[in-house]
Amino acid sequence: MNHRPRKRFGQNFLHDPGIIQRIVHAIDPQQDDNLVEIGPGRGAITTELLPLAHHMHVVELDRNLIEPLAHLCASLGELEIHNRDALKFDFNHLALPGHPLRVVGNLPYNISTPLLFHLLNQSGRILDMHFMLQKEVVDRMAAAPGGKVYGRLSVMLQARADVTPLFHIGSGAFNPPPKVDSAFVRLQPCDPPPYRIDDWDIFSKLVRQAFSQRRKTLRNSLGKILSTEAIEVTGIDPGARAEQLSVEDFANLANRVLSVNRLSHE
Ligand code: SAH
């Protein structure tokens, strides 16, 4: 394929056949699956998935890759190519009744976090997601309370999905090799979510606020949103710091904000 990798599009193409097989095995595509790959690039994963799924969608931003990809996959199955920006793409419309999406991708690392949020906002239509990401990002996604890497990303994702890190991949598996190590991760949106969250906006604001000053106690970092007494009512210590709280604690605090707001409007 006569195409030079472009930095602007975060292009690091997989070329290690052993790693590609491990990825395909982890996804385990079935014929009836409603598969969509983000950033198929030169088709390293696509050409393995398509013969198993028979039909799949791909969303690729670089128009120079579209024609070669169509050509490469022509005899492998039915490939629907969307030459679009995944960050703005409406994934919902690809999901059919009884056929929720299975999303996969070796993602451009510079857009991975906004893309995860964009996808989770459509999670009612997504069965699972498998992504290659920067290892450091996967560590943050899957982190448990108490550690340094536990933060906003951990809480926001785990409030809606099960996060399972699967394996690490060294940079030598890619061309050109990225500067950082990578990891492959599975996300399974939970329906219903694991904890009751009455208002997602409030939850999101509260989590952001709590971690924006993660060294501070909740009493100080959340002071503008929730009084010390209101925090105490939930059974959570106002002297604790954000990184000590479980996802359920954050859900309880956010629900508390909502009920305090309601009371003050009555
Ligand atoms: N899956 C391929 C390519 C990975 S590189 C492989 O594993 O070899 C990342 C790919 O994402 C590139 O093809 C790049 O062009 C594409 N990409 C970058 N930004 C994108 C965006 N916003 N929306 C869709 N695709 C994008």
Side-chain angles (χ1 to χ4, degrees):
M1 194 179 283
N2 193 10
H3 169 274
R4 278 205 289 132
R6 295 216 260 169
K7 219 173 170 177
R8 176 158 75 94
F9 292 131
Q11 292 177 345
N12 300 101
F13 299 111
L14 267 170
H15 67 84
D16 182 327
I19 296 291
I20 293 169
Q21 279 318 314
R22 281 183 83 179
I23 289 174
V24 173
H25 190 251
I27 300 167
D28 191 21
Q30 306 294 317
Q31 192 174 335
D32 273 340
D33 285 351
N34 192 357
L35 215 57
V36 54
E37 184 185 356
I38 301 171
R42 295 169 174 168
I45 313 174
T46 328
T47 49
E48 301 295 321
L49 296 176
L50 186 56
L52 299 170
H54 295 233
H55 168 267
M56 66 185 275
H57 296 272
V58 293
V59 182
E60 172 58 61
L61 183 58
D62 185 350
R63 64 187 163 88
N64 294 334
L65 289 169
I66 302 300
E67 187 55 45
L69 190 67
H71 188 71
L72 185 68
C73 295
S75 62
L76 301 177
E78 198 185 326
L79 187 67
E80 286 190 50
I81 304 181
H82 308 269
N83 185 196
R84 300 278 300 282
D85 180 349
L87 283 174
K88 297 180 189 149
F89 190 75
D90 172 17
F91 288 89
N92 271 340
H93 87 273
L94 301 184
L96 305 167
H99 287 277
L101 289 176
R102 301 195 67 200
V103 183
V104 307
N106 168 14
L107 298 184
Y109 295 162
N110 53 340
I111 64 161
S112 58
T113 312
L115 191 58
L116 287 173
F117 282 97
H118 178 58
L119 286 163
L120 276 171
N121 288 336
Q122 334 204 0
S123 63
R125 307 274 181 102
I126 296 178
L127 185 68
D128 60 16
M129 306 187 247
H130 287 84
F131 294 128
M132 175 84 76
L133 293 167
Q134 213 171 314
K135 181 183 170 297
E136 178 256 326
V137 173
V138 172
D139 290 344
R140 286 198 281 130
M141 288 164 66
K148 268 198 191 137
V149 294
Y150 181 69
R152 178 172 169 254
L153 187 65
S154 334
V155 176
M156 293 306 293
L157 296 187
Q158 292 170 30
R160 285 182 276 191
D162 289 330
V163 181
T164 316
L166 296 172
F167 48 87
H168 295 166
I169 299 135
S171 52
F174 304 89
N175 175 28
K179 289 198 182 69
V180 291
D181 276 348
S182 303
F184 199 61
V185 64
R186 174 181 296 144
L187 283 110
Q188 292 162 296
C190 312
D191 188 19
Y195 312 105
R196 201 192 88 221
I197 293 172
D198 295 332
D199 185 312
W200 278 98
D201 279 346
I202 291 180
F203 179 75
S204 164
K205 274 184 202 139
L206 180 122
V207 173
R208 187 190 292 271
Q209 183 72 27
F211 282 108
S212 69
Q213 300 164 306
R214 58 185 294 145
R215 308 293 316 158
K216 287 196 177 179
T217 61
L218 299 175
R219 183 188 288 116
N220 289 321
S221 62
L222 296 182
K224 283 195 188 120
I225 312 179
L226 218 48
S227 69
T228 303
E229 294 72 37
I231 297 174
E232 270 165 353
V233 171
T234 63
I236 294 162
D237 176 8
R241 281 177 287 154
E243 66 194 38
Q244 297 170 276
L245 264 52
S246 67
V247 178
E248 187 172 15
D249 290 336
F250 281 108
N252 289 338
L253 285 174
N255 293 342
R256 192 72 214 154
V257 174
L258 193 67
S259 52
V260 170
N261 286 354
R262 275 198 191 125
L263 279 176
S264 66
H265 283 101
E266 269 173 17

PDB file of all heavy atoms in Angstrom, residues 224-257:
ATOM      1  N   LYS A 224     -18.284  24.045  47.510  1.00  0.00           N
ATOM      2  CA  LYS A 224     -19.250  24.885  46.770  1.00  0.00           C
ATOM      3  C   LYS A 224     -20.492  24.102  46.348  1.00  0.00           C
ATOM      4  O   LYS A 224     -21.535  24.671  46.059  1.00  0.00           O
ATOM      5  CB  LYS A 224     -18.577  25.445  45.514  1.00  0.00           C
ATOM      6  CG  LYS A 224     -17.660  26.597  45.809  1.00  0.00           C
ATOM      7  CD  LYS A 224     -17.322  27.337  44.517  1.00  0.00           C
ATOM      8  CE  LYS A 224     -16.248  28.368  44.771  1.00  0.00           C
ATOM      9  NZ  LYS A 224     -15.038  28.141  43.979  1.00  0.00           N
ATOM     10  N   ILE A 225     -20.356  22.787  46.260  1.00  0.00           N
ATOM     11  CA  ILE A 225     -21.468  21.962  45.759  1.00  0.00           C
ATOM     12  C   ILE A 225     -22.267  21.343  46.905  1.00  0.00           C
ATOM     13  O   ILE A 225     -23.491  21.226  46.831  1.00  0.00           O
ATOM     14  CB  ILE A 225     -20.933  20.810  44.860  1.00  0.00           C
ATOM     15  CG1 ILE A 225     -19.936  21.337  43.827  1.00  0.00           C
ATOM     16  CG2 ILE A 225     -22.061  20.082  44.186  1.00  0.00           C
ATOM     17  CD1 ILE A 225     -19.369  20.244  42.928  1.00  0.00           C
ATOM     18  N   LEU A 226     -21.537  20.930  47.956  1.00  0.00           N
ATOM     19  CA  LEU A 226     -22.176  20.139  49.012  1.00  0.00           C
ATOM     20  C   LEU A 226     -21.603  20.566  50.373  1.00  0.00           C
ATOM     21  O   LEU A 226     -20.380  20.618  50.536  1.00  0.00           O
ATOM     22  CB  LEU A 226     -21.839  18.666  48.743  1.00  0.00           C
ATOM     23  CG  LEU A 226     -22.860  17.553  48.982  1.00  0.00           C
ATOM     24  CD1 LEU A 226     -24.204  17.873  48.371  1.00  0.00           C
ATOM     25  CD2 LEU A 226     -22.331  16.240  48.423  1.00  0.00           C
ATOM     26  N   SER A 227     -22.489  20.834  51.317  1.00  0.00           N
ATOM     27  CA  SER A 227     -22.010  21.231  52.653  1.00  0.00           C
ATOM     28  C   SER A 227     -21.409  20.020  53.375  1.00  0.00           C
ATOM     29  O   SER A 227     -21.681  18.870  53.020  1.00  0.00           O
ATOM     30  CB  SER A 227     -23.182  21.777  53.469  1.00  0.00           C
ATOM     31  OG  SER A 227     -24.074  20.714  53.771  1.00  0.00           O
ATOM     32  N   THR A 228     -20.614  20.306  54.397  1.00  0.00           N
ATOM     33  CA  THR A 228     -20.023  19.226  55.202  1.00  0.00           C
ATOM     34  C   THR A 228     -21.110  18.317  55.758  1.00  0.00           C
ATOM     35  O   THR A 228     -20.982  17.086  55.731  1.00  0.00           O
ATOM     36  CB  THR A 228     -19.197  19.844  56.350  1.00  0.00           C
ATOM     37  OG1 THR A 228     -18.227  20.707  55.778  1.00  0.00           O
ATOM     38  CG2 THR A 228     -18.480  18.768  57.154  1.00  0.00           C
ATOM     39  N   GLU A 229     -22.198  18.922  56.213  1.00  0.00           N
ATOM     40  CA  GLU A 229     -23.309  18.133  56.787  1.00  0.00           C
ATOM     41  C   GLU A 229     -23.909  17.212  55.719  1.00  0.00           C
ATOM     42  O   GLU A 229     -24.201  16.047  55.979  1.00  0.00           O
ATOM     43  CB  GLU A 229     -24.421  19.039  57.340  1.00  0.00           C
ATOM     44  CG  GLU A 229     -24.039  19.899  58.536  1.00  0.00           C
ATOM     45  CD  GLU A 229     -23.090  21.047  58.173  1.00  0.00           C
ATOM     46  OE1 GLU A 229     -23.259  21.618  57.072  1.00  0.00           O
ATOM     47  OE2 GLU A 229     -22.186  21.335  58.970  1.00  0.00           O
ATOM     48  N   ALA A 230     -24.085  17.765  54.525  1.00  0.00           N
ATOM     49  CA  ALA A 230     -24.684  16.954  53.444  1.00  0.00           C
ATOM     50  C   ALA A 230     -23.770  15.791  53.066  1.00  0.00           C
ATOM     51  O   ALA A 230     -24.249  14.698  52.733  1.00  0.00           O
ATOM     52  CB  ALA A 230     -24.971  17.837  52.234  1.00  0.00           C
ATOM     53  N   ILE A 231     -22.470  16.024  53.135  1.00  0.00           N
ATOM     54  CA  ILE A 231     -21.538  14.918  52.854  1.00  0.00           C
ATOM     55  C   ILE A 231     -21.687  13.862  53.954  1.00  0.00           C
ATOM     56  O   ILE A 231     -21.782  12.660  53.674  1.00  0.00           O
ATOM     57  CB  ILE A 231     -20.069  15.413  52.787  1.00  0.00           C
ATOM     58  CG1 ILE A 231     -19.893  16.393  51.637  1.00  0.00           C
ATOM     59  CG2 ILE A 231     -19.103  14.228  52.633  1.00  0.00           C
ATOM     60  CD1 ILE A 231     -18.516  17.055  51.558  1.00  0.00           C
ATOM     61  N   GLU A 232     -21.762  14.322  55.201  1.00  0.00           N
ATOM     62  CA  GLU A 232     -21.854  13.389  56.336  1.00  0.00           C
ATOM     63  C   GLU A 232     -23.099  12.516  56.265  1.00  0.00           C
ATOM     64  O   GLU A 232     -23.061  11.336  56.630  1.00  0.00           O
ATOM     65  CB  GLU A 232     -21.838  14.174  57.653  1.00  0.00           C
ATOM     66  CG  GLU A 232     -20.418  14.369  58.159  1.00  0.00           C
ATOM     67  CD  GLU A 232     -20.311  15.432  59.244  1.00  0.00           C
ATOM     68  OE1 GLU A 232     -21.323  16.109  59.516  1.00  0.00           O
ATOM     69  OE2 GLU A 232     -19.204  15.564  59.801  1.00  0.00           O
ATOM     70  N   VAL A 233     -24.192  13.091  55.787  1.00  0.00           N
ATOM     71  CA  VAL A 233     -25.447  12.334  55.687  1.00  0.00           C
ATOM     72  C   VAL A 233     -25.275  11.068  54.836  1.00  0.00           C
ATOM     73  O   VAL A 233     -25.900  10.045  55.090  1.00  0.00           O
ATOM     74  CB  VAL A 233     -26.580  13.230  55.098  1.00  0.00           C
ATOM     75  CG1 VAL A 233     -27.814  12.411  54.773  1.00  0.00           C
ATOM     76  CG2 VAL A 233     -26.917  14.347  56.066  1.00  0.00           C
ATOM     77  N   THR A 234     -24.400  11.138  53.851  1.00  0.00           N
ATOM     78  CA  THR A 234     -24.196   9.963  52.981  1.00  0.00           C
ATOM     79  C   THR A 234     -23.333   8.894  53.660  1.00  0.00           C
ATOM     80  O   THR A 234     -23.148   7.811  53.109  1.00  0.00           O
ATOM     81  CB  THR A 234     -23.483  10.357  51.660  1.00  0.00           C
ATOM     82  OG1 THR A 234     -22.181  10.854  51.990  1.00  0.00           O
ATOM     83  CG2 THR A 234     -24.242  11.410  50.885  1.00  0.00           C
ATOM     84  N   GLY A 235     -22.782   9.233  54.837  1.00  0.00           N
ATOM     85  CA  GLY A 235     -21.930   8.267  55.529  1.00  0.00           C
ATOM     86  C   GLY A 235     -20.476   8.338  55.075  1.00  0.00           C
ATOM     87  O   GLY A 235     -19.654   7.516  55.472  1.00  0.00           O
ATOM     88  N   ILE A 236     -20.170   9.321  54.238  1.00  0.00           N
ATOM     89  CA  ILE A 236     -18.795   9.464  53.745  1.00  0.00           C
ATOM     90  C   ILE A 236     -18.081  10.526  54.583  1.00  0.00           C
ATOM     91  O   ILE A 236     -18.657  11.560  54.926  1.00  0.00           O
ATOM     92  CB  ILE A 236     -18.810   9.856  52.242  1.00  0.00           C
ATOM     93  CG1 ILE A 236     -19.394   8.695  51.426  1.00  0.00           C
ATOM     94  CG2 ILE A 236     -17.413  10.212  51.743  1.00  0.00           C
ATOM     95  CD1 ILE A 236     -19.863   9.081  50.055  1.00  0.00           C
ATOM     96  N   ASP A 237     -16.824  10.251  54.920  1.00  0.00           N
ATOM     97  CA  ASP A 237     -16.044  11.154  55.762  1.00  0.00           C
ATOM     98  C   ASP A 237     -15.640  12.411  54.984  1.00  0.00           C
ATOM     99  O   ASP A 237     -14.914  12.309  53.993  1.00  0.00           O
ATOM    100  CB  ASP A 237     -14.791  10.392  56.235  1.00  0.00           C
ATOM    101  CG  ASP A 237     -13.854  11.276  57.035  1.00  0.00           C
ATOM    102  OD1 ASP A 237     -14.225  12.429  57.358  1.00  0.00           O
ATOM    103  OD2 ASP A 237     -12.736  10.803  57.341  1.00  0.00           O
ATOM    104  N   PRO A 238     -16.093  13.604  55.410  1.00  0.00           N
ATOM    105  CA  PRO A 238     -15.735  14.841  54.708  1.00  0.00           C
ATOM    106  C   PRO A 238     -14.233  15.115  54.750  1.00  0.00           C
ATOM    107  O   PRO A 238     -13.722  15.928  53.979  1.00  0.00           O
ATOM    108  CB  PRO A 238     -16.488  15.935  55.476  1.00  0.00           C
ATOM    109  CG  PRO A 238     -17.480  15.226  56.327  1.00  0.00           C
ATOM    110  CD  PRO A 238     -16.964  13.858  56.586  1.00  0.00           C
ATOM    111  N   GLY A 239     -13.523  14.414  55.629  1.00  0.00           N
ATOM    112  CA  GLY A 239     -12.069  14.578  55.708  1.00  0.00           C
ATOM    113  C   GLY A 239     -11.314  13.664  54.747  1.00  0.00           C
ATOM    114  O   GLY A 239     -10.092  13.705  54.648  1.00  0.00           O
ATOM    115  N   ALA A 240     -12.075  12.825  54.015  1.00  0.00           N
ATOM    116  CA  ALA A 240     -11.428  11.918  53.044  1.00  0.00           C
ATOM    117  C   ALA A 240     -11.057  12.695  51.784  1.00  0.00           C
ATOM    118  O   ALA A 240     -11.536  13.803  51.547  1.00  0.00           O
ATOM    119  CB  ALA A 240     -12.376  10.779  52.702  1.00  0.00           C
ATOM    120  N   ARG A 241     -10.168  12.073  50.963  1.00  0.00           N
ATOM    121  CA  ARG A 241      -9.823  12.686  49.678  1.00  0.00           C
ATOM    122  C   ARG A 241     -10.440  11.873  48.548  1.00  0.00           C
ATOM    123  O   ARG A 241     -10.767  10.696  48.717  1.00  0.00           O
ATOM    124  CB  ARG A 241      -8.311  12.764  49.531  1.00  0.00           C
ATOM    125  CG  ARG A 241      -7.728  13.928  50.314  1.00  0.00           C
ATOM    126  CD  ARG A 241      -6.243  13.947  50.215  1.00  0.00           C
ATOM    127  NE  ARG A 241      -5.687  12.876  51.011  1.00  0.00           N
ATOM    128  CZ  ARG A 241      -4.515  12.308  50.787  1.00  0.00           C
ATOM    129  NH1 ARG A 241      -3.781  12.689  49.779  1.00  0.00           N
ATOM    130  NH2 ARG A 241      -4.073  11.330  51.549  1.00  0.00           N
ATOM    131  N   ALA A 242     -10.570  12.535  47.391  1.00  0.00           N
ATOM    132  CA  ALA A 242     -11.265  11.915  46.254  1.00  0.00           C
ATOM    133  C   ALA A 242     -10.758  10.510  45.945  1.00  0.00           C
ATOM    134  O   ALA A 242     -11.547   9.600  45.676  1.00  0.00           O
ATOM    135  CB  ALA A 242     -11.129  12.798  45.023  1.00  0.00           C
ATOM    136  N   GLU A 243      -9.434  10.338  45.997  1.00  0.00           N
ATOM    137  CA  GLU A 243      -8.885   9.045  45.557  1.00  0.00           C
ATOM    138  C   GLU A 243      -9.237   7.890  46.491  1.00  0.00           C
ATOM    139  O   GLU A 243      -9.026   6.740  46.151  1.00  0.00           O
ATOM    140  CB  GLU A 243      -7.376   9.155  45.379  1.00  0.00           C
ATOM    141  CG  GLU A 243      -6.621   9.391  46.670  1.00  0.00           C
ATOM    142  CD  GLU A 243      -5.181   9.845  46.409  1.00  0.00           C
ATOM    143  OE1 GLU A 243      -4.982  10.620  45.459  1.00  0.00           O
ATOM    144  OE2 GLU A 243      -4.299   9.415  47.150  1.00  0.00           O
ATOM    145  N   GLN A 244      -9.798   8.210  47.664  1.00  0.00           N
ATOM    146  CA  GLN A 244     -10.182   7.146  48.604  1.00  0.00           C
ATOM    147  C   GLN A 244     -11.624   6.670  48.374  1.00  0.00           C
ATOM    148  O   GLN A 244     -12.059   5.696  48.974  1.00  0.00           O
ATOM    149  CB  GLN A 244     -10.042   7.652  50.037  1.00  0.00           C
ATOM    150  CG  GLN A 244      -8.619   8.024  50.421  1.00  0.00           C
ATOM    151  CD  GLN A 244      -8.563   8.753  51.756  1.00  0.00           C
ATOM    152  OE1 GLN A 244      -8.749   9.970  51.827  1.00  0.00           O
ATOM    153  NE2 GLN A 244      -8.342   8.005  52.816  1.00  0.00           N
ATOM    154  N   LEU A 245     -12.365   7.394  47.544  1.00  0.00           N
ATOM    155  CA  LEU A 245     -13.791   7.089  47.372  1.00  0.00           C
ATOM    156  C   LEU A 245     -14.038   6.048  46.280  1.00  0.00           C
ATOM    157  O   LEU A 245     -13.393   6.080  45.228  1.00  0.00           O
ATOM    158  CB  LEU A 245     -14.539   8.371  46.989  1.00  0.00           C
ATOM    159  CG  LEU A 245     -15.215   9.149  48.114  1.00  0.00           C
ATOM    160  CD1 LEU A 245     -14.253   9.422  49.248  1.00  0.00           C
ATOM    161  CD2 LEU A 245     -15.801  10.439  47.585  1.00  0.00           C
ATOM    162  N   SER A 246     -14.997   5.170  46.548  1.00  0.00           N
ATOM    163  CA  SER A 246     -15.383   4.203  45.508  1.00  0.00           C
ATOM    164  C   SER A 246     -16.322   4.888  44.506  1.00  0.00           C
ATOM    165  O   SER A 246     -16.823   5.985  44.757  1.00  0.00           O
ATOM    166  CB  SER A 246     -16.109   3.022  46.151  1.00  0.00           C
ATOM    167  OG  SER A 246     -17.349   3.461  46.681  1.00  0.00           O
ATOM    168  N   VAL A 247     -16.577   4.203  43.398  1.00  0.00           N
ATOM    169  CA  VAL A 247     -17.507   4.739  42.404  1.00  0.00           C
ATOM    170  C   VAL A 247     -18.891   4.899  43.044  1.00  0.00           C
ATOM    171  O   VAL A 247     -19.593   5.887  42.818  1.00  0.00           O
ATOM    172  CB  VAL A 247     -17.574   3.802  41.173  1.00  0.00           C
ATOM    173  CG1 VAL A 247     -18.585   4.320  40.162  1.00  0.00           C
ATOM    174  CG2 VAL A 247     -16.200   3.658  40.538  1.00  0.00           C
ATOM    175  N   GLU A 248     -19.254   3.948  43.890  1.00  0.00           N
ATOM    176  CA  GLU A 248     -20.555   4.013  44.559  1.00  0.00           C
ATOM    177  C   GLU A 248     -20.635   5.238  45.482  1.00  0.00           C
ATOM    178  O   GLU A 248     -21.678   5.897  45.555  1.00  0.00           O
ATOM    179  CB  GLU A 248     -20.784   2.727  45.366  1.00  0.00           C
ATOM    180  CG  GLU A 248     -22.182   2.642  45.940  1.00  0.00           C
ATOM    181  CD  GLU A 248     -22.472   1.278  46.564  1.00  0.00           C
ATOM    182  OE1 GLU A 248     -21.513   0.512  46.809  1.00  0.00           O
ATOM    183  OE2 GLU A 248     -23.657   0.999  46.791  1.00  0.00           O
ATOM    184  N   ASP A 249     -19.525   5.561  46.163  1.00  0.00           N
ATOM    185  CA  ASP A 249     -19.494   6.767  47.001  1.00  0.00           C
ATOM    186  C   ASP A 249     -19.791   8.012  46.158  1.00  0.00           C
ATOM    187  O   ASP A 249     -20.564   8.885  46.569  1.00  0.00           O
ATOM    188  CB  ASP A 249     -18.109   6.943  47.658  1.00  0.00           C
ATOM    189  CG  ASP A 249     -17.832   5.903  48.738  1.00  0.00           C
ATOM    190  OD1 ASP A 249     -18.809   5.354  49.291  1.00  0.00           O
ATOM    191  OD2 ASP A 249     -16.644   5.646  49.030  1.00  0.00           O
ATOM    192  N   PHE A 250     -19.159   8.091  44.987  1.00  0.00           N
ATOM    193  CA  PHE A 250     -19.406   9.245  44.122  1.00  0.00           C
ATOM    194  C   PHE A 250     -20.867   9.292  43.685  1.00  0.00           C
ATOM    195  O   PHE A 250     -21.468  10.368  43.607  1.00  0.00           O
ATOM    196  CB  PHE A 250     -18.481   9.219  42.900  1.00  0.00           C
ATOM    197  CG  PHE A 250     -17.089   9.689  43.198  1.00  0.00           C
ATOM    198  CD1 PHE A 250     -16.037   8.798  43.241  1.00  0.00           C
ATOM    199  CD2 PHE A 250     -16.829  11.031  43.462  1.00  0.00           C
ATOM    200  CE1 PHE A 250     -14.752   9.224  43.533  1.00  0.00           C
ATOM    201  CE2 PHE A 250     -15.548  11.467  43.765  1.00  0.00           C
ATOM    202  CZ  PHE A 250     -14.505  10.559  43.800  1.00  0.00           C
ATOM    203  N   ALA A 251     -21.436   8.124  43.395  1.00  0.00           N
ATOM    204  CA  ALA A 251     -22.851   8.078  43.007  1.00  0.00           C
ATOM    205  C   ALA A 251     -23.725   8.598  44.147  1.00  0.00           C
ATOM    206  O   ALA A 251     -24.628   9.415  43.934  1.00  0.00           O
ATOM    207  CB  ALA A 251     -23.240   6.644  42.640  1.00  0.00           C
ATOM    208  N   ASN A 252     -23.416   8.164  45.369  1.00  0.00           N
ATOM    209  CA  ASN A 252     -24.206   8.612  46.525  1.00  0.00           C
ATOM    210  C   ASN A 252     -24.088  10.116  46.749  1.00  0.00           C
ATOM    211  O   ASN A 252     -25.083  10.791  47.034  1.00  0.00           O
ATOM    212  CB  ASN A 252     -23.762   7.865  47.794  1.00  0.00           C
ATOM    213  CG  ASN A 252     -24.193   6.406  47.761  1.00  0.00           C
ATOM    214  OD1 ASN A 252     -25.137   6.053  47.033  1.00  0.00           O
ATOM    215  ND2 ASN A 252     -23.499   5.555  48.496  1.00  0.00           N
ATOM    216  N   LEU A 253     -22.866  10.636  46.601  1.00  0.00           N
ATOM    217  CA  LEU A 253     -22.668  12.081  46.778  1.00  0.00           C
ATOM    218  C   LEU A 253     -23.445  12.866  45.717  1.00  0.00           C
ATOM    219  O   LEU A 253     -24.097  13.868  46.019  1.00  0.00           O
ATOM    220  CB  LEU A 253     -21.180  12.437  46.699  1.00  0.00           C
ATOM    221  CG  LEU A 253     -20.320  12.085  47.918  1.00  0.00           C
ATOM    222  CD1 LEU A 253     -18.846  12.354  47.633  1.00  0.00           C
ATOM    223  CD2 LEU A 253     -20.762  12.870  49.158  1.00  0.00           C
ATOM    224  N   ALA A 254     -23.374  12.398  44.472  1.00  0.00           N
ATOM    225  CA  ALA A 254     -24.056  13.110  43.388  1.00  0.00           C
ATOM    226  C   ALA A 254     -25.574  13.072  43.592  1.00  0.00           C
ATOM    227  O   ALA A 254     -26.267  14.079  43.380  1.00  0.00           O
ATOM    228  CB  ALA A 254     -23.681  12.502  42.041  1.00  0.00           C
ATOM    229  N   ASN A 255     -26.091  11.944  44.030  1.00  0.00           N
ATOM    230  CA  ASN A 255     -27.536  11.849  44.283  1.00  0.00           C
ATOM    231  C   ASN A 255     -27.939  12.768  45.434  1.00  0.00           C
ATOM    232  O   ASN A 255     -29.044  13.316  45.450  1.00  0.00           O
ATOM    233  CB  ASN A 255     -27.934  10.405  44.575  1.00  0.00           C
ATOM    234  CG  ASN A 255     -27.763   9.516  43.352  1.00  0.00           C
ATOM    235  OD1 ASN A 255     -27.664  10.012  42.222  1.00  0.00           O
ATOM    236  ND2 ASN A 255     -27.714   8.208  43.560  1.00  0.00           N
ATOM    237  N   ARG A 256     -27.019  12.933  46.365  1.00  0.00           N
ATOM    238  CA  ARG A 256     -27.256  13.835  47.494  1.00  0.00           C
ATOM    239  C   ARG A 256     -27.367  15.289  47.006  1.00  0.00           C
ATOM    240  O   ARG A 256     -28.223  16.043  47.450  1.00  0.00           O
ATOM    241  CB  ARG A 256     -26.097  13.687  48.490  1.00  0.00           C
ATOM    242  CG  ARG A 256     -26.318  14.330  49.822  1.00  0.00           C
ATOM    243  CD  ARG A 256     -27.342  13.564  50.636  1.00  0.00           C
ATOM    244  NE  ARG A 256     -28.123  14.487  51.447  1.00  0.00           N
ATOM    245  CZ  ARG A 256     -29.359  14.248  51.867  1.00  0.00           C
ATOM    246  NH1 ARG A 256     -29.965  13.125  51.566  1.00  0.00           N
ATOM    247  NH2 ARG A 256     -29.991  15.127  52.593  1.00  0.00           N
ATOM    248  N   VAL A 257     -26.473  15.673  46.085  1.00  0.00           N
ATOM    249  CA  VAL A 257     -26.520  17.038  45.531  1.00  0.00           C
ATOM    250  C   VAL A 257     -27.895  17.290  44.941  1.00  0.00           C
ATOM    251  O   VAL A 257     -28.516  18.328  45.173  1.00  0.00           O
ATOM    252  CB  VAL A 257     -25.451  17.233  44.415  1.00  0.00           C
ATOM    253  CG1 VAL A 257     -25.596  18.597  43.758  1.00  0.00           C
ATOM    254  CG2 VAL A 257     -24.043  17.069  44.983  1.00  0.00           C
TER     255      VAL A 257
END
